[in-house]
Amino acid sequence: MKKYLNLLLVAVQNLRRYKAKSITITIPIILMMAVSSFMMFSRGGFVKDAEMAREFLPDVTIQGIEAGRVVKVSLDIIPEIKKIPHVKTVAPRVWGYIPLKIDDLDISYTLMGLELEDLPDNPEFLEVMEDGSFLVPGDRNKVVLGYGVAQTLGFRVGEDIEQALELCTISISDLKNIGDEITIDDTLGNHGKFKVIGILKNRVQVYSADLMLVSNDDARDFFGYAENEASDILLYLDENGSADRAALMISQLFKNTRVMTAKALTNLVKEAFGRRSGTFSAMWLILFSTVLMFAWSQTTHISVDAGTEIGILKSFGWQTGDIILVKMVESLLYGFLGTSIGILLGFVYALMGTPGISGYCIGCASIYPKFPVPVSCDADSIILLFLIGVIPVTLITAIPAWLAGTIDPDKAIKS
Amino acid sequence: MISIKNVFKRYKSGKIYVKALDDISVNIEKGEFVFFSGPSGSGKSTLLNIIGCLTRVTSGSYLLEDKQVSHWPDHFLSPLRRERFGFIFQQFNLVSGYSAWENIALPLIPMGISQKERRKKALLILENLNLTTRADFMAQELSGGQQQLVAIGRALVNNPDIILADEPFSNIDARHVENFENILGNLKNQGKTIIIASHFHEPITKLVDKTFYFENGSISPKQ
Ligand SMILES: Nc1ncnc2c1ncn2[C@@H]1O[C@H](COP(=O)(O)OP(=O)(O)OP(=O)(O)O)[C@@H](O)[C@H]1O
Ligand SMILES: [Mg+2]
């Protein structure tokens, strides 16, 4: 037992003794783990987001189409749609992007009108509120903000006020509260004034972070829609309804519509991310193999020195097993150190909003610029990352140690 | 105690085989001071390495106290190297990055001896070698003579009964030769078996009990 403690201490000491080698081995591990942990955290976030948001998506969404372009949809088709079997609720929705300039930054939010009278009477709805309350029938000039919007506009959100302050460059006395009014003048000339009554949770991030929810009437006023016009129509079905069948019927009934099911929508997001993550996977693989090759060349390269050392130790009674153990613990420490720092960097990078690649990552300018990539970090992925980072490097560095440890000491010394 | 019989040793160097030892037989008794002399390349180091279990015979037998160690597996040889032999290399072979005392204590690490205990033992040895002031110097910061003293200390730290020294006089000056001679004299008085390989003969003539003269991998009858 004492022997193993001694050997462990030797391994730790060796990290210091071979400082240059330690650094040259650890840095690529750090890089590799930073990239892969970043990928993992953000990928996990996207998939989780897409799945969570699906609970709140309508079963079917209908848009108007004219000459291949999305246009306003006429509400005249609603009576026909209501006749389709299993349709529980039909809710016209008025929404659009509102491009803003805040502190010289181009930010685009989504203003979304809801048919408040027809909202599904779903208690889960309350769970999406971070603070305040949701809109109720009859509300006018009131708005519920997405988490990201609230943060950027300087609202007191969540527990992390410090963080909000840092992001908004305003002082604590300037923080806005639920009940305050905001004025919106977008760069297209639309104008509106709303009282903030609630803030959505951070949870359904990709969809809701840049959302501002108002009543349909307010949204019509804001975007200048006529009484019988909407951006799209949402369909909620009862338990026995099939979204696919309803979608098919509608697209056959009305020529100038595009019909999307919730599944299709979430798949769209997942797919968009998945394709890009393929690029990352490739990058990651390249990096990974580079690290392995590098670790290999490092350990074999230094074996001119290390081989002599191993020979000397063996000639004074060290067992081959002792030497391999020390080398493996060394590698384990490199792997552990590199992985820990790498994961930390990857996590921080993801949190910082992935400067440099966020646009590419989502490919969608409408996502507001702060916290653009949802970050999900759970014990499983961290354990997996450690396995990836530690085991191969440990095993691969054990091979040269084993090779050097099994030859005759006199040869090892002369090597 | 040491019985070498009809030993051959071949090294493979690329595609060619080099005959380093050619039918060598040697007997060494406990407490003897033995000298291997002969020109460069004659096989002195090779036999020393075989005796110290640092390499194996190609054929022939090596008995250490009636035990046929020539074909033991490596993990049986480790305790033997640790407990029976103290090896002083020609190039001293100190491990860089370790201090003088740490080098001396290296053989004690896999024995599970704590760092505190190791340092104590090493300092005691350094004191006997008059090198206490250099205990914490790094190996590469020592002079050649000091390095040899540390190498001697490392060979003695486990209190082995067989001391093997390869060319101990070639890298040090006359003053250190004399010092080393004294140390060897003491070890001989303690009853240790000592085997030295060198082409310098003179300094230790009065200590030597037996000389083997090597030539082309064989032992020549001429003394
Ligand atoms: N590891 C090795 N690989 C190949 N050949 C070797 C090896 N070690 C020794 N030899 C060869 O074996 C022969 C004997 O070498 P050895 O080192 O035993 O001689 P030596 O008598 O100690 O010489 P020196 O006085 O120069 O130290 C030499 O010809 C040498 O080239
Ligand atoms: Mg030699």
Side-chain angles (χ1 to χ4, degrees):
Chain A
M1 207 55 234
K2 266 189 175 161
K3 166 180 165 177
Y4 295 108
L5 184 69
N6 278 354
L7 294 177
L8 197 95
L9 292 174
V10 168
V12 175
Q13 201 181 9
N14 278 353
L15 295 197
R16 202 165 33 95
R17 233 155 44 83
Y18 299 123
K19 229 176 262 144
K21 180 192 153 199
S22 306
I23 291 168
T24 40
I25 287 190
T26 314
I27 284 177
I29 299 178
I30 292 176
L31 285 179
M32 171 186 85
M33 293 323 290
V35 171
S36 37
S37 68
F38 161 71
M39 273 172 52
M40 201 121 147
F41 293 149
S42 45
R43 187 195 150 75
F46 274 107
V47 173
K48 208 171 83 195
D49 245 36
E51 265 154 19
M52 280 180 131
R54 201 177 149 186
E55 295 170 36
F56 306 106
L57 283 179
D59 296 311
V60 179
T61 307
I62 306 161
Q63 293 178 324
I65 292 282
E66 217 174 79
R69 288 180 51 219
V70 177
V71 293
K72 297 169 189 172
V73 62
S74 164
L75 300 189
D76 300 340
I77 64 171
I78 287 184
E80 286 295 312
I81 290 173
K82 281 190 169 156
K83 285 183 200 153
I84 293 171
H86 301 300
V87 169
K88 200 169 66 178
T89 317
V90 181
R93 193 171 60 161
V94 180
W95 66 280
Y97 295 120
I98 47 173
L100 300 173
K101 249 205 174 3
I102 299 179
D103 297 340
D104 276 342
L105 269 174
D106 285 312
I107 300 177
S108 180
Y109 293 139
T110 308
L111 185 91
M112 172 94 57
L114 297 170
E115 197 59 66
L116 299 181
E117 280 69 25
D118 291 342
L119 273 184
D121 165 28
N122 188 349
E124 277 178 41
F125 235 68
L126 295 174
E127 280 178 36
V128 302
M129 299 305 294
E130 171 78 29
D131 205 356
S133 53
F134 202 73
L135 298 161
V136 293
D139 274 349
R140 288 302 305 260
N141 297 318
K142 290 180 183 171
V143 65
V144 169
L145 299 180
Y147 196 87
V149 182
Q151 245 177 2
T152 316
L153 295 183
F155 275 82
R156 196 184 282 274
V157 189
E159 293 108 59
D160 212 348
I161 291 172
E162 308 267 313
Q163 198 181 29
L165 279 178
E166 249 168 59
L167 286 170
C168 302
T169 59
I170 52 171
S171 67
I172 198 148
S173 56
D174 289 339
L175 271 181
K176 297 195 190 80
N177 290 302
I178 302 244
D180 287 354
E181 283 211 328
I182 52 170
T183 307
I184 300 169
D185 288 293
D186 75 11
T187 54
L188 301 174
N190 296 319
H191 171 85
K193 197 169 186 183
F194 303 96
K195 181 174 163 186
V196 177
I197 61 162
I199 293 164
L200 293 174
K201 258 192 190 144
N202 190 14
R203 203 164 72 131
V204 278
Q205 215 174 32
V206 164
Y207 294 98
S208 70
D210 67 338
L211 269 186
M212 305 172 85
L213 299 174
V214 296
S215 72
N216 260 350
D217 291 336
D218 286 341
R220 266 194 198 95
D221 287 352
F222 187 87
F223 290 117
Y225 277 41
E227 193 70 42
N228 71 332
E229 285 173 341
S231 310
D232 50 26
I233 299 172
L234 308 185
L235 234 71
Y236 294 90
L237 306 174
D238 66 25
E239 280 112 65
N240 302 320
S242 152
D244 288 331
R245 201 170 320 134
L248 190 68
M249 284 181 76
I250 294 163
S251 58
Q252 282 167 350
L253 273 174
F254 310 105
K255 280 277 154 316
N256 289 331
T257 57
R258 181 159 76 185
V259 189
M260 282 176 296
T261 60
K263 203 166 92 191
L265 262 176
T266 39
N267 284 350
L268 214 69
V269 170
K270 277 198 209 171
E271 201 186 292
F273 177 71
R275 218 178 307 125
R276 294 196 164 82
S277 88
T279 322
F280 279 117
S281 305
M283 263 169 62
W284 183 80
L285 247 169
I286 292 164
L287 250 169
F288 184 62
S289 45
T290 313
V291 166
L292 288 192
M293 273 158 56
F294 190 79
W296 169 265
S297 69
Q298 271 296 308
T299 38
T300 34
H301 178 69
I302 55 102
S303 72
V304 181
D305 257 351
T308 310
E309 187 176 319
I310 287 169
I312 296 169
L313 293 177
K314 280 197 73 179
S315 63
F316 289 103
W318 284 53
Q319 308 258 13
T320 302
D322 299 340
I323 288 157
I324 293 178
L325 191 79
V326 168
K327 292 288 159 202
M328 281 185 82
V329 173
E330 268 175 53
S331 312
L332 206 80
L333 292 173
Y334 292 137
F336 200 79
L337 203 78
T339 306
S340 307
I341 299 175
I343 289 180
L344 213 71
L345 286 180
F347 189 68
V348 168
Y349 190 65
L351 274 187
M352 272 179 6
T354 63
I357 59 163
S358 63
Y360 175 72
C361 205
I362 300 174
C364 170
S366 71
I367 302 287
Y368 76 113
K370 281 158 189 172
F371 288 173
V373 178
V375 177
S376 133
C377 151
D378 49 42
D380 280 0
S381 32
I382 289 192
I383 290 169
L384 185 64
L385 284 169
F386 268 102
L387 293 183
I388 295 171
V390 175
I391 292 179
V393 176
T394 304
L395 292 183
I396 204 131
T397 43
I399 296 170
W402 177 75
L403 289 176
T406 44
I407 58 176
D408 282 342
D410 79 316
K411 237 198 195 119
I413 290 171
K414 281 182 185 159
S415 68
Chain B
M1 182 167 69
I2 292 169
S3 165
I4 303 280
K5 240 188 222 115
N6 304 114
V7 161
F8 290 79
K9 175 70 180 179
R10 275 190 319 183
Y11 286 110
K12 199 179 166 194
S13 154
K15 278 210 165 109
I16 354 166
Y17 284 96
V18 182
K19 211 181 251 180
L21 295 179
D22 191 7
D23 198 7
I24 287 235
S25 296
V26 161
N27 269 305
I28 295 167
E29 297 307 323
K30 188 172 163 31
E32 273 186 330
F33 195 117
V34 177
F35 189 67
F36 292 171
S37 87
S40 186
S42 57
K44 308 180 295 288
S45 299
T46 304
L47 187 59
L48 212 59
N49 286 341
I50 286 175
I51 293 173
C53 298
L54 304 188
T55 189
R56 293 161 190 284
V57 301
T58 306
S59 73
S61 96
Y62 167 22
L63 293 175
L64 180 67
E65 273 151 9
D66 303 328
K67 278 173 296 207
Q68 180 67 260
V69 298
S70 43
H71 295 97
W72 279 12
D74 191 65
H75 60 275
F76 281 5
L77 295 177
S78 295
L80 214 59
R81 292 174 192 138
R82 183 161 64 224
E83 288 153 20
R84 303 295 306 274
F85 298 106
F87 215 107
I88 302 161
F89 295 97
Q90 179 172 358
Q91 308 294 337
F92 311 141
N93 280 336
L94 299 189
V95 179
S96 61
Y98 282 128
S99 66
W101 84 261
E102 283 172 321
N103 262 285
I104 290 177
L106 278 179
L108 304 176
I109 290 176
M111 295 168 71
I113 297 170
S114 73
Q115 157 136 351
K116 212 173 128 193
E117 208 50 38
R118 295 203 299 270
R119 188 174 159 89
K120 222 164 94 185
K121 279 195 171 203
L123 287 181
L124 208 71
I125 286 176
L126 281 167
E127 206 181 307
N128 289 335
L129 297 169
N130 280 324
L131 209 65
T132 316
T133 52
R134 297 287 182 271
D136 291 309
F137 277 49
M138 286 290 138
Q140 57 272 26
E141 296 165 357
L142 299 170
S143 76
Q146 290 164 342
Q147 287 190 29
Q148 187 185 45
L149 287 175
V150 171
I152 295 168
R154 184 176 57 186
L156 298 180
V157 72
N158 268 327
N159 197 26
D161 58 338
I162 304 163
I163 315 281
L164 308 169
D166 197 356
E167 302 287 357
F169 308 115
S170 50
N171 282 315
I172 51 172
D173 63 21
R175 192 167 53 88
H176 280 105
V177 169
E178 204 184 307
N179 188 16
F180 185 52
E181 222 182 326
N182 290 335
I183 293 168
L184 289 175
N186 282 337
L187 291 171
K188 189 185 177 185
N189 291 339
Q190 288 168 32
K192 302 213 184 274
T193 309
I194 299 165
I195 308 171
I196 286 179
S198 173
H199 36 259
F200 297 103
H201 196 179
E202 285 66 37
I204 49 168
T205 318
K206 54 184 188 294
L207 295 171
V208 172
D209 298 315
K210 235 187 221 171
T211 299
F212 295 97
Y213 189 78
F214 285 67
E215 217 168 53
N216 271 334
S218 310
I219 289 174
S220 144
K222 153 191 149 206
Q223 287 287 315

